[in-house]
Amino acid sequence: MQNKTVISDIEREFVDLYKENRSMFEAKTSDPVNKIRRSGVRDFERLGIPGKKDEDYKYTLLQPLFQEKYRKYLEPRKVEFDLANVFQCDIPTLDAHLILLVNGFFDKKNGNSLNELPSGIIIGSLASASYKYPGLFEKHYGKYASHKDGLVALNSAFAQDGIFLYVPEGAVYKKPIQIVNLVMAKEDIMVQHRNLIIVEKNAETGVIICDHAMTPNKFLTNSVTEIYTAENSSFDYVKVQNEHNNAIQFSHIFVNQEANSNMTSNIMTLHGGVVRNNVNVLLNGEGAENNSYGLYLVDREQHVDNYTYVDHAKPNCISNQLYKGVLDDSASGAFNGRILVRKNSQNTHAYQANNNILLTDDAKIYTKPQLEIYADDVKCSHGATVGQLDEEALFYMRARGIPEKEARLIMMFAFAHEVIGNVKAEALLKRIDDLVEKRLKGELSPCDNCAMKCY
Amino acid sequence: MKSMLNIKNLSASIEGKEILKGITLEVNEGEVHAIMGPNGSGKSTLASLVAGKEFADVTGGSITYLGKNLFDLNPEERAKAGIFLGFQYPIEIPGVTMVNFLKTALNEHRKHKGLEPLSAKDFLKLLREKKDLVEIDSKLTNRSVNAGFSGGEKKKNEIFQMAMLEPKLAILDETDSGLDIDALKIVANGVNKLKRKDNATIVITHYQRLLDYIVPDYVHVLFDGRIVKSGGKELALELEKKGYEWIKNQVNGN
């Protein structure tokens, strides 16, 4: 990424805002976080918001998205709501441990800022944890999220809270941990939270993150999640993005996997104005396996951009990527997937596929697979397809009496299910299936889960 | 005998090329018709037009089914009215299980008849009964529609679907192609078991072999878009003996 010599007004505004509030920020979090914060603002000042010439952001124009006059709350706002009345998750009765993040701040309404689950798992506020576990933060915080991207640097500078999850050595917790991430305000706001997930040796657990915008305001979320999986650990990450057309989301995930660890991510974009998901994976130990899945179902003017980068830094690792999308109306999307196999990473298996269905002539998808291989004993493949629903299959179903509309729905659902089917927790899989089916039928509005019904 | 299908002077073309050049055919309840003919004679085009596939332009004539103009109905309406096409090349639909596919289709047929959807228990019972009828491997119904099925399994699967949906008029488009003799017998056996007084079958085939097992009431020879000869089941045997050259020579007046 190029250095910028001139920064725009909006970028200057961020830097000034940071400088004015620096002492407040630094009081919120402990030293290891503040160290990264200081380098974050320096890097942001140098890099700015990625521009048109940035190859990695070629298909999503960022600058105009930051022009809105978002309020940037530097203190948690008091949001009055009764969880039980306002929010019913679309994944109801899921037997999960529920954690709430409101406008980027951990909500301790129903408990302490840090909670201990069975098996010694700790979950709660990132800010609180940074004081309580400075050693862990020293070791992990900011070590995986690279400031090569100005947006990540910006998050480092402004991050005040988010989710901290620590899974100690040998802990196995099968019940999913559900993190509900709400944005709700009476004005347009920007949210920049930061999550840190540490899964120690031989541990095994999973999270599901549900993103919802609860009021019709404009929201911009720029979040960073760092995930460390130690030797022989296993971690499942499921994210369901179901916001609305006024919501913009940049989600940066950085994964560091040690030897023989297994990590699966499954990112499902059901609704959002502009969504950009960055998944960066470093396979940093032999025998590590990473599976990255993505599904995007978009219509109207929505835009979804998925970027993946898998770095095979060690030999004998496996990576597998499958991203699929259905784009309707004038929706647009991009998939940019890069696999790097380093010189000594022999016996690498790396696969990538991106399949798209365009339902109209106006829907657009840009897909760009990239393989860079420097080792000579590898198995790699990548492929991208863009097409329409198979007319022959549609006729076959109609010839059996299935109405055309239903036949189309069945086929889209089958297409999407190839991604959903990789969700490991069966109860969750079933519910996401239901959610996706509702979405494809047009029965799922982003406000379904909210009693406010502001539209 | 009640008239079921009435094709009158039907002409159709694909991309300007005339494929059907005035077909007239009447099929009554309880009858089995065989349509034979060499490759490219228009057999599959005829079958697809009856099922409602929009790939050929109808340039003249009519198709009436149980008194209704068939061109007013879309493919799903034709299916629910009792028309079934056994595909020459059954389509693979990855990700859609046979069970889900059949349940959806069957319940659409029931809805059309004003019946409630079948309960899961009754559906599975029906599924088992019909599976036995066509001797289809149990495991196939849990797989995606035709995905990874062998050629023989795909054809058996067509007859299985026919058994589930109980059509009034079944058109089997080269259901025998690619089948070994055992599979052929099973398929024919299935068709014969499903035969009733109030339904009808049109068997489209290239070879006489299938007609040893499904005995037709009428045999029609389709050649170059026209039915050039019609007769009883003995016509098939004659055709087998003398070959299509015989027909060609007759048509060309040699």
Side-chain angles (χ1 to χ4, degrees):
Chain A
M1 210 171 283
Q2 292 164 323
N3 287 358
K4 280 195 173 183
T5 44
V6 183
I7 66 172
S8 71
D9 289 350
I10 183 88
E11 287 157 349
R12 170 61 54 206
E13 204 182 290
F14 274 117
V15 174
D16 289 346
L17 186 67
Y18 172 84
K19 284 177 178 161
E20 283 159 29
N21 293 283
R22 181 178 157 173
S23 54
M24 184 278 295
F25 285 139
E26 297 201 348
K28 283 258 172 67
T29 50
S30 70
D31 278 349
V33 175
N34 293 335
K35 228 180 344 187
I36 302 299
R37 188 186 295 293
R38 290 191 282 271
S39 72
V41 76
R42 280 196 304 273
D43 291 331
F44 178 73
E45 204 165 1
R46 185 168 54 82
L47 296 166
I49 295 162
K52 266 189 215 168
K53 287 186 181 144
D54 192 314
E55 193 61 26
D56 289 346
Y57 279 96
K58 199 174 171 185
Y59 301 109
T60 304
L61 208 51
L62 298 180
Q63 299 277 351
L65 303 175
F66 283 83
Q67 297 300 329
E68 293 289 338
K69 291 284 164 218
Y70 297 105
R71 286 291 298 270
K72 299 162 192 79
Y73 284 116
L74 304 178
E75 298 285 344
R77 296 280 292 174
K78 270 212 162 55
V79 185
E80 289 304 331
F81 65 95
D82 177 354
L83 186 65
N85 286 341
V86 169
F87 184 77
Q88 295 122 23
C89 185
D90 267 314
I91 305 183
T93 66
L94 180 68
D95 183 24
H97 187 86
L98 187 73
I99 296 289
L100 204 58
L101 208 58
V102 181
N103 297 336
F105 292 93
F106 177 78
D107 185 86
K108 52 180 178 248
K109 196 166 274 179
N110 301 319
N112 307 317
S113 61
L114 287 166
N115 304 281
E116 194 170 327
L117 302 183
S119 327
I121 292 171
I122 293 153
I123 188 158
S125 151
L126 179 107
S128 303
S130 77
Y131 278 107
K132 196 164 177 195
Y133 309 104
L136 286 175
F137 276 72
E138 196 67 59
K139 191 175 167 198
H140 297 289
Y141 188 88
K143 298 296 184 287
Y144 316 117
S146 148
H147 286 178
K148 278 184 198 149
D149 180 335
L151 291 183
V152 177
L154 182 68
N155 175 283
S156 288
F158 280 81
Q160 296 184 68
D161 202 5
I163 297 293
F164 171 77
L165 172 64
Y166 180 76
V167 190
E169 190 170 335
V172 176
Y173 190 63
K174 299 266 185 187
K175 191 164 144 174
I177 297 165
Q178 186 180 16
I179 298 164
V180 177
N181 180 24
L182 304 179
V183 282
M184 55 192 308
K186 292 196 173 71
E187 61 222 307
D188 302 346
I189 63 166
M190 188 181 287
V191 171
Q192 302 203 60
H193 58 275
R194 179 87 170 212
N195 306 315
L196 177 62
I197 296 171
I198 301 162
V199 185
E200 296 287 19
K201 280 182 194 168
N202 304 314
E204 190 184 329
T205 196
V207 295
I208 164 162
I209 299 170
C210 303
D211 296 331
H212 297 288
M214 304 293 282
T215 51
N217 299 76
K218 288 181 176 156
F219 295 107
L220 188 149
T221 303
N222 179 42
S223 72
V224 172
T225 301
E226 291 180 283
I227 300 170
Y228 170 84
T229 61
E231 279 173 49
N232 292 312
S233 66
S234 169
F235 185 63
D236 285 349
Y237 178 94
V238 179
K239 188 171 168 76
V240 180
Q241 296 170 319
N242 190 22
E243 297 192 324
H244 57 49
N245 291 355
N246 278 334
I248 296 166
Q249 187 179 130
F250 306 111
S251 158
H252 315 264
I253 299 170
F254 294 87
V255 182
N256 180 101
Q257 288 190 238
E258 296 300 327
N260 300 312
S261 66
N262 192 310
M263 152 103 191
T264 298
S265 65
N266 215 318
I267 299 175
M268 283 171 254
T269 312
L270 304 185
H271 215 127
V274 176
V275 178
R276 162 78 176 209
N277 293 310
N278 293 335
V279 177
N280 299 273
V281 177
L282 174 66
L283 296 169
N284 200 32
E286 290 195 34
E289 178 180 337
N290 180 274
N291 296 293
S292 296
Y293 303 105
L295 174 68
Y296 38 102
L297 308 172
V298 284
D299 57 14
R300 287 181 262 186
E301 306 283 322
Q302 297 171 35
H303 179 78
V304 179
D305 181 346
N306 280 296
Y307 172 89
T308 66
Y309 174 38
V310 179
D311 182 350
H312 279 262
K314 293 282 153 61
N316 301 313
C317 291
I318 299 171
S319 72
N320 183 28
Q321 298 174 54
L322 176 65
Y323 277 74
K324 297 182 94 173
V326 180
L327 297 100
D328 200 354
D329 303 328
S330 304
S332 56
F335 174 78
N336 189 346
R338 186 173 161 216
I339 297 171
L340 172 65
V341 182
R342 291 182 190 268
K343 197 159 179 261
N344 295 319
S345 298
Q346 301 298 356
N347 195 26
T348 285
H349 291 235
Y351 309 101
Q352 182 190 79
N354 173 232
N355 309 118
N356 300 282
I357 290 179
L358 301 180
L359 296 177
T360 67
D361 290 342
D362 293 330
K364 280 189 194 69
I365 181 81
Y366 303 92
T367 176
K368 190 175 147 194
Q370 305 171 70
L371 268 176
E372 273 176 64
I373 305 172
Y374 299 101
D376 49 23
D377 181 18
V378 301
K379 272 192 187 142
C380 294
S381 72
H382 65 90
T385 62
V386 179
Q388 286 81 40
L389 290 177
D390 180 355
E391 290 294 329
E392 296 286 330
L394 282 175
F395 177 69
Y396 190 71
M397 283 194 267
R398 295 177 73 189
R400 297 297 177 254
I402 300 172
E404 187 179 0
K405 202 179 157 203
E406 183 72 18
R408 285 183 180 278
L409 198 67
I410 289 172
M411 287 189 63
M412 283 193 276
F413 185 72
F415 178 82
H417 186 78
E418 207 196 331
V419 172
I420 308 164
N422 294 298
V423 171
K424 286 181 192 158
E426 198 155 331
L428 192 56
L429 187 152
K430 175 94 185 52
R431 289 183 207 290
I432 292 175
D433 260 350
D434 291 346
L435 209 59
V436 166
E437 197 174 355
K438 267 167 96 181
R439 173 68 182 90
L440 289 170
K441 279 183 181 163
E443 290 169 3
L444 179 75
S445 109
C447 288
D448 270 354
N449 41 45
C450 172
M452 290 180 178
K453 302 277 178 221
C454 20
Y455 280 108
Chain B
M1 234 183 305
K2 203 171 148 195
S3 168
M4 188 171 269
L5 184 73
N6 207 334
I7 301 176
K8 270 192 191 145
N9 206 19
L10 183 71
S11 314
S13 60
I14 297 174
E15 288 167 1
K17 188 174 183 281
E18 210 177 11
I19 306 294
L20 300 181
K21 301 171 180 171
I23 302 269
T24 295
L25 177 69
E26 187 166 6
V27 178
N28 297 319
E29 277 184 350
E31 292 176 354
V32 176
H33 289 243
I35 297 176
M36 301 182 72
N39 286 332
S41 59
K43 303 188 299 287
S44 288
T45 302
L46 180 63
S48 299
L49 277 177
V50 176
K53 192 170 185 189
E54 290 161 14
F55 76 115
D57 300 317
V58 175
T59 50
S62 65
I63 309 179
T64 314
Y65 171 74
L66 296 174
K68 276 185 211 147
N69 177 3
L70 210 50
F71 296 135
D72 290 342
L73 305 180
N74 64 33
E76 52 269 38
E77 287 165 337
R78 295 182 198 196
K80 285 182 278 194
I83 293 176
F84 179 90
L85 173 65
F87 282 60
Q88 183 179 3
Y89 303 108
I91 310 296
E92 299 191 6
I93 316 178
V96 179
T97 63
M98 275 304 299
V99 168
N100 191 20
F101 171 69
L102 281 171
K103 201 198 265 173
T104 308
L106 189 70
N107 284 334
E108 287 293 339
H109 282 251
R110 291 179 65 86
K111 193 159 85 185
H112 180 74
K113 290 176 190 146
L115 300 170
E116 290 290 307
L118 272 188
S119 70
K121 192 176 151 234
D122 290 343
F123 174 76
L124 289 175
K125 195 173 155 233
L126 186 69
L127 203 66
R128 266 198 304 276
E129 273 172 34
K130 303 296 183 181
K131 264 199 270 201
D132 292 345
L133 186 78
V134 294
E135 299 175 41
I136 195 166
D137 188 341
S138 264
K139 284 178 220 133
L140 291 184
T141 49
N142 294 323
R143 302 231 309 254
S144 291
V145 178
N146 293 320
F149 288 26
S150 70
E153 284 166 345
K154 282 182 182 171
K155 294 299 175 76
K156 271 197 224 172
N157 191 22
E158 294 295 291
I159 305 303
F160 173 53
Q161 291 173 44
M162 175 180 155
M164 288 293 289
L165 300 174
E166 298 184 327
K168 287 197 180 84
L169 174 67
I171 304 161
L172 305 176
D173 189 6
E174 305 226 5
T175 300
D176 52 335
S177 66
L179 290 185
D180 61 33
I181 195 73
D182 293 332
L184 185 77
K185 277 184 196 167
I186 292 169
V187 163
N189 205 11
V191 173
N192 290 332
K193 280 186 202 161
L194 294 168
K195 198 182 162 189
R196 291 197 318 247
K197 273 187 191 143
D198 61 345
N199 65 14
T201 309
I202 299 173
V203 181
I204 293 174
T205 182
H206 197 82
Y207 304 105
Q208 188 272 336
R209 194 175 68 153
L210 179 68
L211 305 179
D212 286 340
Y213 303 98
I214 303 174
V215 182
D217 299 301
Y218 301 95
V219 174
H220 311 277
V221 181
L222 191 62
F223 178 72
D224 192 23
R226 288 187 184 91
I227 290 178
V228 293
K229 213 170 177 64
S230 292
K233 62 185 174 198
E234 64 288 346
L235 177 58
L237 291 168
E238 196 175 358
L239 200 60
E240 178 79 0
K241 211 186 298 169
K242 297 182 179 170
Y244 286 115
E245 283 302 312
W246 168 59
I247 294 288
K248 280 182 199 171
N249 291 338
Q250 281 201 340
V251 171
N252 298 331
N254 296 332

